[in-house]
Amino acid sequence: MEQGLVFNFISLLIVSAAIIVMIQRARGGLDIQLRSIAGIDALEEAVGRATEMGRIVHFSPGIAGLDGTTAAQTFAGLETLGYVAKLVARYGARMIVTIRQPTVLPLAEEVVRQAYMAEGAIEAYDEDSVVYLSSEQFAYVAGAMGIINREKAAANILLGGFWAESLMLVEAAFHVGAISIAGTAMISQVPFFVAASDYTLIGEELYAAGAICSGNPIRLGSIAGQDYGKLYAMLILIVGALATTAGSSVIRDLIAK
Amino acid sequence: MNRQDFLVILTAIVGLIIIAAQFFTVEFIKTTGAELQSWGVIIAALALGLAAVNLSRIHIRRITLRRANWQYSVALVGILFIQAIIGFIDTSGGEVYNFGFENILTPSGAMMFALLAFWIASAAYRAFTARSVDSAILLISATVVMLGNAPIGQAIYEGMPDIKDWIMDVPNMAAQRGIMIGAGIGAIALGIRILMGIERGHLGGGDE
């Protein structure tokens, strides 16, 4: 075992076990109720608005790739892209998905194509609806802002990993009167989204969005399992705070193991 | 076994090896993990080719159909191919090849980044209006933090930097850590759903 990662590994096992147990309980028929998240509820409203106005829905799964610590955010964005694409296909709206990472392109194309197939509207699928713009961060954002402006987007959905371009994309959408739904787990960008977009998915809400949109009880089970993971984290925090206050470094030493 | 089931099994095997390589010092796992990540780099390079095809297809179609603003597409496709040809002749380290990067792309990127200041001002103007208790707290906190960071804040009230530090180190830090812990656990849950084949949105949807 790698030095200094024993506690991390045990914690990963505990949190994973809690999530898997809840998934299995959900499989067994456990009824799981989750609080509604305004940003997720607003997705249908945003697509409906774009349909009524005859304007596009702009979707970005973020600028992160499929590797490293930010990859999960890209996958979370793609999970929700499937739901949004189904809504777009169902309502007969038009969508443009802008892509920064080449590796994300084939996945996004497949997600959108399958969504149109699932809705029985494959003939309405536009091959040009998923657009690779550039691997360069600011070239990508300039391209995406151009599309939002020229096409006068009615809805701007940003779900994934974003960096400095987050505010630019939301502001570009605001200036053409688009409704913005933005979500990220990038802690430095959350304040920009909160300040500038109409609805924000913060941190874990981004990861839960795909599962909640699907309404699949097994997926919802994993969300319930997360709560036990959070309980574990809270327990460590409280015991650690009390121990440190009492002059003991037992939790700090444990975490360093 | 259909295509999706095969991909789910493949994802689970590769995912578990990469996770194990992070925690265990077993030579075989470490080597396999590193090898798989190298494959990732090769696949990413191949994907760049797919992306170039996507870009060319969309813009050549725009040109041939004379869609709105098709002239921009001519510029894009032209530069794409000219730069690629220069790259083949001059190599990626060549002076001619890098001229465009250094004199067009880099300054344009810097310009876009600089524009962020104006976007922040525009967003702040909308956000910092005291329409509710929440937005009033945001407005007051932001004003104190801004004043605490500027010399004028200390001139108005000596303790302004201390109040700013408290806001940043206590409520702000607590909220940030809360979000990070929640996001970390959320990412684990998403990873488990993907490894177990419950979440298949990235493979084109469908349930297990």
PDB file of all heavy atoms in Angstrom, chain A residues 2 27 79 109 111 114 127 132 150 168 171 174 196 207 216 219 222, chain B residues 23 30 54-55 57 69 112 119 122 126 183 193 199 201 204 207-208:
ATOM      1  N   GLU A   2       0.472   2.258  -0.789  1.00  0.00           N
ATOM      2  CA  GLU A   2       1.225   3.516  -0.858  1.00  0.00           C
ATOM      3  C   GLU A   2       1.206   4.215   0.507  1.00  0.00           C
ATOM      4  O   GLU A   2       0.181   4.224   1.192  1.00  0.00           O
ATOM      5  CB  GLU A   2       0.584   4.450  -1.897  1.00  0.00           C
ATOM      6  CG  GLU A   2       0.752   4.003  -3.334  1.00  0.00           C
ATOM      7  CD  GLU A   2       2.097   4.372  -3.918  1.00  0.00           C
ATOM      8  OE1 GLU A   2       2.910   4.989  -3.212  1.00  0.00           O
ATOM      9  OE2 GLU A   2       2.327   4.017  -5.093  1.00  0.00           O
ATOM     10  N   ARG A  27     -32.653  -1.693  -5.504  1.00  0.00           N
ATOM     11  CA  ARG A  27     -32.998  -2.809  -6.400  1.00  0.00           C
ATOM     12  C   ARG A  27     -34.074  -3.690  -5.768  1.00  0.00           C
ATOM     13  O   ARG A  27     -34.925  -4.247  -6.448  1.00  0.00           O
ATOM     14  CB  ARG A  27     -31.764  -3.676  -6.673  1.00  0.00           C
ATOM     15  CG  ARG A  27     -30.913  -3.193  -7.809  1.00  0.00           C
ATOM     16  CD  ARG A  27     -30.053  -4.322  -8.359  1.00  0.00           C
ATOM     17  NE  ARG A  27     -29.284  -3.852  -9.498  1.00  0.00           N
ATOM     18  CZ  ARG A  27     -27.978  -3.613  -9.484  1.00  0.00           C
ATOM     19  NH1 ARG A  27     -27.287  -3.823  -8.393  1.00  0.00           N
ATOM     20  NH2 ARG A  27     -27.366  -3.193 -10.566  1.00  0.00           N
ATOM     21  N   GLU A  79     -24.116  12.616 -19.005  1.00  0.00           N
ATOM     22  CA  GLU A  79     -25.322  11.917 -18.542  1.00  0.00           C
ATOM     23  C   GLU A  79     -26.536  12.831 -18.704  1.00  0.00           C
ATOM     24  O   GLU A  79     -27.594  12.400 -19.152  1.00  0.00           O
ATOM     25  CB  GLU A  79     -25.207  11.515 -17.063  1.00  0.00           C
ATOM     26  CG  GLU A  79     -24.002  10.668 -16.682  1.00  0.00           C
ATOM     27  CD  GLU A  79     -23.944   9.335 -17.387  1.00  0.00           C
ATOM     28  OE1 GLU A  79     -24.954   8.912 -17.941  1.00  0.00           O
ATOM     29  OE2 GLU A  79     -22.852   8.726 -17.403  1.00  0.00           O
ATOM     30  N   GLU A 109     -21.559  12.871 -29.515  1.00  0.00           N
ATOM     31  CA  GLU A 109     -22.318  12.558 -30.742  1.00  0.00           C
ATOM     32  C   GLU A 109     -23.192  11.326 -30.525  1.00  0.00           C
ATOM     33  O   GLU A 109     -24.368  11.309 -30.906  1.00  0.00           O
ATOM     34  CB  GLU A 109     -21.341  12.304 -31.903  1.00  0.00           C
ATOM     35  CG  GLU A 109     -20.737  13.575 -32.466  1.00  0.00           C
ATOM     36  CD  GLU A 109     -19.758  13.320 -33.611  1.00  0.00           C
ATOM     37  OE1 GLU A 109     -19.099  12.257 -33.609  1.00  0.00           O
ATOM     38  OE2 GLU A 109     -19.638  14.186 -34.474  1.00  0.00           O
ATOM     39  N   VAL A 111     -24.270  10.093 -27.639  1.00  0.00           N
ATOM     40  CA  VAL A 111     -25.322  10.382 -26.652  1.00  0.00           C
ATOM     41  C   VAL A 111     -26.498  11.065 -27.334  1.00  0.00           C
ATOM     42  O   VAL A 111     -27.662  10.679 -27.140  1.00  0.00           O
ATOM     43  CB  VAL A 111     -24.755  11.279 -25.515  1.00  0.00           C
ATOM     44  CG1 VAL A 111     -25.878  11.871 -24.675  1.00  0.00           C
ATOM     45  CG2 VAL A 111     -23.800  10.489 -24.639  1.00  0.00           C
ATOM     46  N   GLN A 114     -28.302   8.647 -29.859  1.00  0.00           N
ATOM     47  CA  GLN A 114     -29.111   7.645 -29.150  1.00  0.00           C
ATOM     48  C   GLN A 114     -30.356   8.274 -28.537  1.00  0.00           C
ATOM     49  O   GLN A 114     -31.410   7.639 -28.470  1.00  0.00           O
ATOM     50  CB  GLN A 114     -28.270   6.976 -28.050  1.00  0.00           C
ATOM     51  CG  GLN A 114     -27.162   6.081 -28.565  1.00  0.00           C
ATOM     52  CD  GLN A 114     -27.672   4.810 -29.228  1.00  0.00           C
ATOM     53  OE1 GLN A 114     -28.757   4.342 -28.934  1.00  0.00           O
ATOM     54  NE2 GLN A 114     -26.903   4.265 -30.136  1.00  0.00           N
ATOM     55  N   GLU A 127     -26.527  15.962 -37.827  1.00  0.00           N
ATOM     56  CA  GLU A 127     -25.122  15.579 -37.573  1.00  0.00           C
ATOM     57  C   GLU A 127     -24.259  16.766 -37.141  1.00  0.00           C
ATOM     58  O   GLU A 127     -23.253  16.603 -36.471  1.00  0.00           O
ATOM     59  CB  GLU A 127     -24.518  14.980 -38.855  1.00  0.00           C
ATOM     60  CG  GLU A 127     -24.820  13.513 -39.044  1.00  0.00           C
ATOM     61  CD  GLU A 127     -23.964  12.927 -40.139  1.00  0.00           C
ATOM     62  OE1 GLU A 127     -23.451  13.676 -40.977  1.00  0.00           O
ATOM     63  OE2 GLU A 127     -23.807  11.687 -40.150  1.00  0.00           O
ATOM     64  N   TYR A 132     -17.258  20.347 -32.595  1.00  0.00           N
ATOM     65  CA  TYR A 132     -15.949  20.545 -31.963  1.00  0.00           C
ATOM     66  C   TYR A 132     -15.476  21.937 -32.364  1.00  0.00           C
ATOM     67  O   TYR A 132     -15.499  22.291 -33.549  1.00  0.00           O
ATOM     68  CB  TYR A 132     -14.963  19.475 -32.448  1.00  0.00           C
ATOM     69  CG  TYR A 132     -13.526  19.789 -32.119  1.00  0.00           C
ATOM     70  CD1 TYR A 132     -13.033  19.585 -30.837  1.00  0.00           C
ATOM     71  CD2 TYR A 132     -12.671  20.299 -33.085  1.00  0.00           C
ATOM     72  CE1 TYR A 132     -11.717  19.892 -30.535  1.00  0.00           C
ATOM     73  CE2 TYR A 132     -11.354  20.602 -32.790  1.00  0.00           C
ATOM     74  CZ  TYR A 132     -10.887  20.406 -31.516  1.00  0.00           C
ATOM     75  OH  TYR A 132      -9.591  20.712 -31.217  1.00  0.00           O
ATOM     76  N   ARG A 150     -24.885  34.497 -32.481  1.00  0.00           N
ATOM     77  CA  ARG A 150     -25.427  34.445 -33.845  1.00  0.00           C
ATOM     78  C   ARG A 150     -26.767  33.721 -33.900  1.00  0.00           C
ATOM     79  O   ARG A 150     -27.673  34.135 -34.589  1.00  0.00           O
ATOM     80  CB  ARG A 150     -24.432  33.744 -34.782  1.00  0.00           C
ATOM     81  CG  ARG A 150     -23.260  34.599 -35.192  1.00  0.00           C
ATOM     82  CD  ARG A 150     -22.494  33.943 -36.339  1.00  0.00           C
ATOM     83  NE  ARG A 150     -22.031  32.614 -36.008  1.00  0.00           N
ATOM     84  CZ  ARG A 150     -20.894  32.356 -35.352  1.00  0.00           C
ATOM     85  NH1 ARG A 150     -20.124  33.344 -34.958  1.00  0.00           N
ATOM     86  NH2 ARG A 150     -20.519  31.126 -35.098  1.00  0.00           N
ATOM     87  N   MET A 168     -17.951  34.025 -18.944  1.00  0.00           N
ATOM     88  CA  MET A 168     -18.113  34.543 -20.312  1.00  0.00           C
ATOM     89  C   MET A 168     -19.300  33.869 -21.002  1.00  0.00           C
ATOM     90  O   MET A 168     -20.092  34.534 -21.664  1.00  0.00           O
ATOM     91  CB  MET A 168     -16.850  34.272 -21.129  1.00  0.00           C
ATOM     92  CG  MET A 168     -15.622  34.961 -20.591  1.00  0.00           C
ATOM     93  SD  MET A 168     -14.223  34.555 -21.643  1.00  0.00           S
ATOM     94  CE  MET A 168     -12.894  35.242 -20.712  1.00  0.00           C
ATOM     95  N   GLU A 171     -22.598  35.088 -19.404  1.00  0.00           N
ATOM     96  CA  GLU A 171     -22.881  36.480 -19.745  1.00  0.00           C
ATOM     97  C   GLU A 171     -23.283  36.626 -21.217  1.00  0.00           C
ATOM     98  O   GLU A 171     -24.167  37.412 -21.548  1.00  0.00           O
ATOM     99  CB  GLU A 171     -21.654  37.357 -19.455  1.00  0.00           C
ATOM    100  CG  GLU A 171     -21.515  37.726 -17.994  1.00  0.00           C
ATOM    101  CD  GLU A 171     -22.689  38.544 -17.479  1.00  0.00           C
ATOM    102  OE1 GLU A 171     -22.854  39.693 -17.864  1.00  0.00           O
ATOM    103  OE2 GLU A 171     -23.466  37.978 -16.671  1.00  0.00           O
ATOM    104  N   PHE A 174     -26.804  35.709 -21.322  1.00  0.00           N
ATOM    105  CA  PHE A 174     -27.657  36.744 -20.728  1.00  0.00           C
ATOM    106  C   PHE A 174     -27.926  37.862 -21.732  1.00  0.00           C
ATOM    107  O   PHE A 174     -29.040  38.358 -21.858  1.00  0.00           O
ATOM    108  CB  PHE A 174     -26.993  37.321 -19.467  1.00  0.00           C
ATOM    109  CG  PHE A 174     -27.695  38.543 -18.941  1.00  0.00           C
ATOM    110  CD1 PHE A 174     -28.875  38.423 -18.226  1.00  0.00           C
ATOM    111  CD2 PHE A 174     -27.187  39.805 -19.181  1.00  0.00           C
ATOM    112  CE1 PHE A 174     -29.535  39.552 -17.754  1.00  0.00           C
ATOM    113  CE2 PHE A 174     -27.836  40.942 -18.718  1.00  0.00           C
ATOM    114  CZ  PHE A 174     -29.025  40.813 -18.000  1.00  0.00           C
ATOM    115  N   ALA A 196     -24.293  34.803 -11.880  1.00  0.00           N
ATOM    116  CA  ALA A 196     -24.707  35.214 -13.219  1.00  0.00           C
ATOM    117  C   ALA A 196     -25.774  34.345 -13.872  1.00  0.00           C
ATOM    118  O   ALA A 196     -26.461  34.822 -14.776  1.00  0.00           O
ATOM    119  CB  ALA A 196     -23.481  35.261 -14.129  1.00  0.00           C
ATOM    120  N   TYR A 207     -23.304  15.924 -10.187  1.00  0.00           N
ATOM    121  CA  TYR A 207     -23.137  14.473 -10.330  1.00  0.00           C
ATOM    122  C   TYR A 207     -24.464  13.720 -10.211  1.00  0.00           C
ATOM    123  O   TYR A 207     -24.632  12.652 -10.770  1.00  0.00           O
ATOM    124  CB  TYR A 207     -22.156  13.948  -9.271  1.00  0.00           C
ATOM    125  CG  TYR A 207     -20.769  14.522  -9.400  1.00  0.00           C
ATOM    126  CD1 TYR A 207     -20.224  15.322  -8.407  1.00  0.00           C
ATOM    127  CD2 TYR A 207     -19.999  14.267 -10.521  1.00  0.00           C
ATOM    128  CE1 TYR A 207     -18.947  15.849  -8.518  1.00  0.00           C
ATOM    129  CE2 TYR A 207     -18.731  14.786 -10.657  1.00  0.00           C
ATOM    130  CZ  TYR A 207     -18.207  15.582  -9.650  1.00  0.00           C
ATOM    131  OH  TYR A 207     -16.956  16.097  -9.784  1.00  0.00           O
ATOM    132  N   ASN A 216     -34.685   6.759 -12.565  1.00  0.00           N
ATOM    133  CA  ASN A 216     -34.426   5.334 -12.331  1.00  0.00           C
ATOM    134  C   ASN A 216     -34.161   5.106 -10.837  1.00  0.00           C
ATOM    135  O   ASN A 216     -33.224   5.682 -10.281  1.00  0.00           O
ATOM    136  CB  ASN A 216     -33.201   4.928 -13.171  1.00  0.00           C
ATOM    137  CG  ASN A 216     -32.855   3.470 -13.025  1.00  0.00           C
ATOM    138  OD1 ASN A 216     -32.924   2.922 -11.938  1.00  0.00           O
ATOM    139  ND2 ASN A 216     -32.480   2.848 -14.124  1.00  0.00           N
ATOM    140  N   ARG A 219     -30.544   4.152  -9.750  1.00  0.00           N
ATOM    141  CA  ARG A 219     -29.605   5.275  -9.769  1.00  0.00           C
ATOM    142  C   ARG A 219     -29.864   6.191  -8.574  1.00  0.00           C
ATOM    143  O   ARG A 219     -28.922   6.725  -7.973  1.00  0.00           O
ATOM    144  CB  ARG A 219     -29.753   6.070 -11.064  1.00  0.00           C
ATOM    145  CG  ARG A 219     -29.326   5.298 -12.279  1.00  0.00           C
ATOM    146  CD  ARG A 219     -29.369   6.172 -13.514  1.00  0.00           C
ATOM    147  NE  ARG A 219     -29.410   5.348 -14.715  1.00  0.00           N
ATOM    148  CZ  ARG A 219     -29.461   5.827 -15.934  1.00  0.00           C
ATOM    149  NH1 ARG A 219     -29.498   7.111 -16.144  1.00  0.00           N
ATOM    150  NH2 ARG A 219     -29.488   5.026 -16.969  1.00  0.00           N
ATOM    151  N   SER A 222     -28.119   5.303  -5.355  1.00  0.00           N
ATOM    152  CA  SER A 222     -26.731   5.729  -5.139  1.00  0.00           C
ATOM    153  C   SER A 222     -26.677   7.133  -4.540  1.00  0.00           C
ATOM    154  O   SER A 222     -25.768   7.455  -3.777  1.00  0.00           O
ATOM    155  CB  SER A 222     -25.951   5.685  -6.461  1.00  0.00           C
ATOM    156  OG  SER A 222     -26.387   6.711  -7.324  1.00  0.00           O
TER     157      SER A 222
ATOM    158  N   PHE B  23      -3.371   3.117  -5.214  1.00  0.00           N
ATOM    159  CA  PHE B  23      -3.238   2.770  -3.801  1.00  0.00           C
ATOM    160  C   PHE B  23      -2.175   1.713  -3.511  1.00  0.00           C
ATOM    161  O   PHE B  23      -1.586   1.708  -2.440  1.00  0.00           O
ATOM    162  CB  PHE B  23      -4.587   2.277  -3.254  1.00  0.00           C
ATOM    163  CG  PHE B  23      -5.622   3.372  -3.154  1.00  0.00           C
ATOM    164  CD1 PHE B  23      -6.685   3.432  -4.035  1.00  0.00           C
ATOM    165  CD2 PHE B  23      -5.521   4.359  -2.175  1.00  0.00           C
ATOM    166  CE1 PHE B  23      -7.630   4.438  -3.942  1.00  0.00           C
ATOM    167  CE2 PHE B  23      -6.465   5.361  -2.079  1.00  0.00           C
ATOM    168  CZ  PHE B  23      -7.519   5.410  -2.959  1.00  0.00           C
ATOM    169  N   LYS B  30       0.901  -1.416 -11.019  1.00  0.00           N
ATOM    170  CA  LYS B  30       1.464  -0.093 -11.343  1.00  0.00           C
ATOM    171  C   LYS B  30       1.780   0.013 -12.838  1.00  0.00           C
ATOM    172  O   LYS B  30       1.439   0.991 -13.498  1.00  0.00           O
ATOM    173  CB  LYS B  30       2.764   0.135 -10.553  1.00  0.00           C
ATOM    174  CG  LYS B  30       2.530   0.516  -9.109  1.00  0.00           C
ATOM    175  CD  LYS B  30       2.459   2.026  -9.004  1.00  0.00           C
ATOM    176  CE  LYS B  30       2.132   2.434  -7.572  1.00  0.00           C
ATOM    177  NZ  LYS B  30       1.346   3.656  -7.511  1.00  0.00           N
ATOM    178  N   ASN B  54     -14.698  16.451 -38.005  1.00  0.00           N
ATOM    179  CA  ASN B  54     -15.982  17.065 -37.617  1.00  0.00           C
ATOM    180  C   ASN B  54     -16.008  18.540 -38.003  1.00  0.00           C
ATOM    181  O   ASN B  54     -16.952  19.025 -38.618  1.00  0.00           O
ATOM    182  CB  ASN B  54     -16.181  16.885 -36.102  1.00  0.00           C
ATOM    183  CG  ASN B  54     -17.380  17.633 -35.556  1.00  0.00           C
ATOM    184  OD1 ASN B  54     -17.317  18.831 -35.342  1.00  0.00           O
ATOM    185  ND2 ASN B  54     -18.479  16.924 -35.330  1.00  0.00           N
ATOM    186  N   LEU B  55     -14.918  19.229 -37.646  1.00  0.00           N
ATOM    187  CA  LEU B  55     -14.815  20.673 -37.910  1.00  0.00           C
ATOM    188  C   LEU B  55     -14.848  20.943 -39.416  1.00  0.00           C
ATOM    189  O   LEU B  55     -15.587  21.829 -39.884  1.00  0.00           O
ATOM    190  CB  LEU B  55     -13.501  21.187 -37.310  1.00  0.00           C
ATOM    191  CG  LEU B  55     -13.389  22.673 -37.028  1.00  0.00           C
ATOM    192  CD1 LEU B  55     -14.405  23.097 -35.988  1.00  0.00           C
ATOM    193  CD2 LEU B  55     -11.985  22.998 -36.524  1.00  0.00           C
ATOM    194  N   ARG B  57     -16.000  18.957 -41.851  1.00  0.00           N
ATOM    195  CA  ARG B  57     -17.288  18.571 -42.444  1.00  0.00           C
ATOM    196  C   ARG B  57     -18.331  19.674 -42.260  1.00  0.00           C
ATOM    197  O   ARG B  57     -18.992  20.096 -43.202  1.00  0.00           O
ATOM    198  CB  ARG B  57     -17.765  17.265 -41.784  1.00  0.00           C
ATOM    199  CG  ARG B  57     -18.921  16.603 -42.517  1.00  0.00           C
ATOM    200  CD  ARG B  57     -19.579  15.520 -41.691  1.00  0.00           C
ATOM    201  NE  ARG B  57     -20.233  16.100 -40.517  1.00  0.00           N
ATOM    202  CZ  ARG B  57     -20.232  15.561 -39.299  1.00  0.00           C
ATOM    203  NH1 ARG B  57     -19.575  14.465 -39.073  1.00  0.00           N
ATOM    204  NH2 ARG B  57     -20.879  16.146 -38.316  1.00  0.00           N
ATOM    205  N   ASN B  69     -23.044  33.768 -42.817  1.00  0.00           N
ATOM    206  CA  ASN B  69     -21.657  33.975 -42.374  1.00  0.00           C
ATOM    207  C   ASN B  69     -20.702  32.886 -42.876  1.00  0.00           C
ATOM    208  O   ASN B  69     -19.742  32.533 -42.192  1.00  0.00           O
ATOM    209  CB  ASN B  69     -21.581  34.039 -40.838  1.00  0.00           C
ATOM    210  CG  ASN B  69     -22.441  35.142 -40.268  1.00  0.00           C
ATOM    211  OD1 ASN B  69     -22.425  36.260 -40.762  1.00  0.00           O
ATOM    212  ND2 ASN B  69     -23.211  34.823 -39.248  1.00  0.00           N
ATOM    213  N   MET B 112      -9.025  37.596 -24.796  1.00  0.00           N
ATOM    214  CA  MET B 112     -10.269  36.999 -24.272  1.00  0.00           C
ATOM    215  C   MET B 112     -10.235  36.954 -22.748  1.00  0.00           C
ATOM    216  O   MET B 112     -11.231  37.241 -22.088  1.00  0.00           O
ATOM    217  CB  MET B 112     -10.446  35.570 -24.812  1.00  0.00           C
ATOM    218  CG  MET B 112     -10.852  35.481 -26.255  1.00  0.00           C
ATOM    219  SD  MET B 112     -12.444  36.217 -26.617  1.00  0.00           S
ATOM    220  CE  MET B 112     -13.547  35.191 -25.668  1.00  0.00           C
ATOM    221  N   TRP B 119     -16.664  41.256 -18.075  1.00  0.00           N
ATOM    222  CA  TRP B 119     -17.781  40.330 -17.811  1.00  0.00           C
ATOM    223  C   TRP B 119     -18.074  40.277 -16.315  1.00  0.00           C
ATOM    224  O   TRP B 119     -19.228  40.199 -15.906  1.00  0.00           O
ATOM    225  CB  TRP B 119     -17.458  38.923 -18.327  1.00  0.00           C
ATOM    226  CG  TRP B 119     -17.330  38.802 -19.807  1.00  0.00           C
ATOM    227  CD1 TRP B 119     -16.221  38.437 -20.511  1.00  0.00           C
ATOM    228  CD2 TRP B 119     -18.340  39.042 -20.793  1.00  0.00           C
ATOM    229  NE1 TRP B 119     -16.474  38.436 -21.861  1.00  0.00           N
ATOM    230  CE2 TRP B 119     -17.765  38.808 -22.067  1.00  0.00           C
ATOM    231  CE3 TRP B 119     -19.673  39.432 -20.723  1.00  0.00           C
ATOM    232  CZ2 TRP B 119     -18.468  38.952 -23.239  1.00  0.00           C
ATOM    233  CZ3 TRP B 119     -20.382  39.579 -21.905  1.00  0.00           C
ATOM    234  CH2 TRP B 119     -19.786  39.341 -23.148  1.00  0.00           C
ATOM    235  N   SER B 122     -20.037  43.325 -15.384  1.00  0.00           N
ATOM    236  CA  SER B 122     -21.417  43.216 -15.864  1.00  0.00           C
ATOM    237  C   SER B 122     -22.234  42.279 -14.971  1.00  0.00           C
ATOM    238  O   SER B 122     -23.369  42.576 -14.597  1.00  0.00           O
ATOM    239  CB  SER B 122     -21.379  42.703 -17.312  1.00  0.00           C
ATOM    240  OG  SER B 122     -22.599  42.160 -17.692  1.00  0.00           O
ATOM    241  N   ARG B 126     -25.459  43.019 -11.870  1.00  0.00           N
ATOM    242  CA  ARG B 126     -26.767  42.354 -11.731  1.00  0.00           C
ATOM    243  C   ARG B 126     -26.891  41.644 -10.398  1.00  0.00           C
ATOM    244  O   ARG B 126     -27.940  41.660  -9.763  1.00  0.00           O
ATOM    245  CB  ARG B 126     -26.941  41.320 -12.847  1.00  0.00           C
ATOM    246  CG  ARG B 126     -27.090  41.903 -14.210  1.00  0.00           C
ATOM    247  CD  ARG B 126     -27.847  40.955 -15.139  1.00  0.00           C
ATOM    248  NE  ARG B 126     -27.479  39.552 -15.011  1.00  0.00           N
ATOM    249  CZ  ARG B 126     -26.427  38.999 -15.577  1.00  0.00           C
ATOM    250  NH1 ARG B 126     -25.617  39.748 -16.300  1.00  0.00           N
ATOM    251  NH2 ARG B 126     -26.161  37.716 -15.444  1.00  0.00           N
ATOM    252  N   ALA B 183     -18.987  17.192  -3.322  1.00  0.00           N
ATOM    253  CA  ALA B 183     -18.645  16.909  -4.724  1.00  0.00           C
ATOM    254  C   ALA B 183     -17.771  15.660  -4.821  1.00  0.00           C
ATOM    255  O   ALA B 183     -17.948  14.846  -5.736  1.00  0.00           O
ATOM    256  CB  ALA B 183     -17.925  18.100  -5.342  1.00  0.00           C
ATOM    257  N   ARG B 193     -21.582   4.088 -10.179  1.00  0.00           N
ATOM    258  CA  ARG B 193     -22.686   3.843 -11.136  1.00  0.00           C
ATOM    259  C   ARG B 193     -22.126   3.477 -12.513  1.00  0.00           C
ATOM    260  O   ARG B 193     -22.649   2.591 -13.195  1.00  0.00           O
ATOM    261  CB  ARG B 193     -23.581   5.081 -11.259  1.00  0.00           C
ATOM    262  CG  ARG B 193     -24.415   5.375 -10.029  1.00  0.00           C
ATOM    263  CD  ARG B 193     -25.630   6.227 -10.376  1.00  0.00           C
ATOM    264  NE  ARG B 193     -25.298   7.527 -10.925  1.00  0.00           N
ATOM    265  CZ  ARG B 193     -25.073   8.632 -10.219  1.00  0.00           C
ATOM    266  NH1 ARG B 193     -25.151   8.572  -8.894  1.00  0.00           N
ATOM    267  NH2 ARG B 193     -24.809   9.772 -10.805  1.00  0.00           N
ATOM    268  N   GLU B 199     -25.052   3.503 -14.863  1.00  0.00           N
ATOM    269  CA  GLU B 199     -25.078   4.764 -15.614  1.00  0.00           C
ATOM    270  C   GLU B 199     -24.439   4.503 -16.960  1.00  0.00           C
ATOM    271  O   GLU B 199     -23.262   4.161 -17.033  1.00  0.00           O
ATOM    272  CB  GLU B 199     -24.283   5.820 -14.837  1.00  0.00           C
ATOM    273  CG  GLU B 199     -24.540   7.236 -15.248  1.00  0.00           C
ATOM    274  CD  GLU B 199     -25.778   7.840 -14.601  1.00  0.00           C
ATOM    275  OE1 GLU B 199     -25.753   8.109 -13.391  1.00  0.00           O
ATOM    276  OE2 GLU B 199     -26.753   8.053 -15.334  1.00  0.00           O
ATOM    277  N   GLY B 201     -25.195   6.657 -19.765  1.00  0.00           N
ATOM    278  CA  GLY B 201     -25.470   7.825 -20.615  1.00  0.00           C
ATOM    279  C   GLY B 201     -24.351   8.093 -21.596  1.00  0.00           C
ATOM    280  O   GLY B 201     -24.600   8.381 -22.774  1.00  0.00           O
ATOM    281  N   GLY B 204     -24.399   6.084 -24.689  1.00  0.00           N
ATOM    282  CA  GLY B 204     -25.567   6.260 -25.544  1.00  0.00           C
ATOM    283  C   GLY B 204     -26.878   5.969 -24.843  1.00  0.00           C
ATOM    284  O   GLY B 204     -27.918   5.872 -25.481  1.00  0.00           O
ATOM    285  N   ASP B 207     -30.701   1.341 -19.842  1.00  0.00           N
ATOM    286  CA  ASP B 207     -30.551   0.870 -18.460  1.00  0.00           C
ATOM    287  C   ASP B 207     -29.876  -0.478 -18.450  1.00  0.00           C
ATOM    288  O   ASP B 207     -29.794  -1.169 -19.464  1.00  0.00           O
ATOM    289  CB  ASP B 207     -31.922   0.803 -17.785  1.00  0.00           C
ATOM    290  CG  ASP B 207     -32.474   2.190 -17.546  1.00  0.00           C
ATOM    291  OD1 ASP B 207     -31.692   3.081 -17.169  1.00  0.00           O
ATOM    292  OD2 ASP B 207     -33.677   2.392 -17.760  1.00  0.00           O
ATOM    293  N   GLU B 208     -29.393  -0.866 -17.247  1.00  0.00           N
ATOM    294  CA  GLU B 208     -28.700  -2.162 -17.120  1.00  0.00           C
ATOM    295  C   GLU B 208     -29.665  -3.314 -17.385  1.00  0.00           C
ATOM    296  O   GLU B 208     -30.847  -3.177 -17.238  1.00  0.00           O
ATOM    297  CB  GLU B 208     -28.090  -2.285 -15.714  1.00  0.00           C
ATOM    298  CG  GLU B 208     -29.110  -2.193 -14.620  1.00  0.00           C
ATOM    299  CD  GLU B 208     -28.512  -2.422 -13.246  1.00  0.00           C
ATOM    300  OE1 GLU B 208     -27.470  -3.064 -13.165  1.00  0.00           O
ATOM    301  OE2 GLU B 208     -29.100  -1.972 -12.280  1.00  0.00           O
TER     302      GLU B 208
END
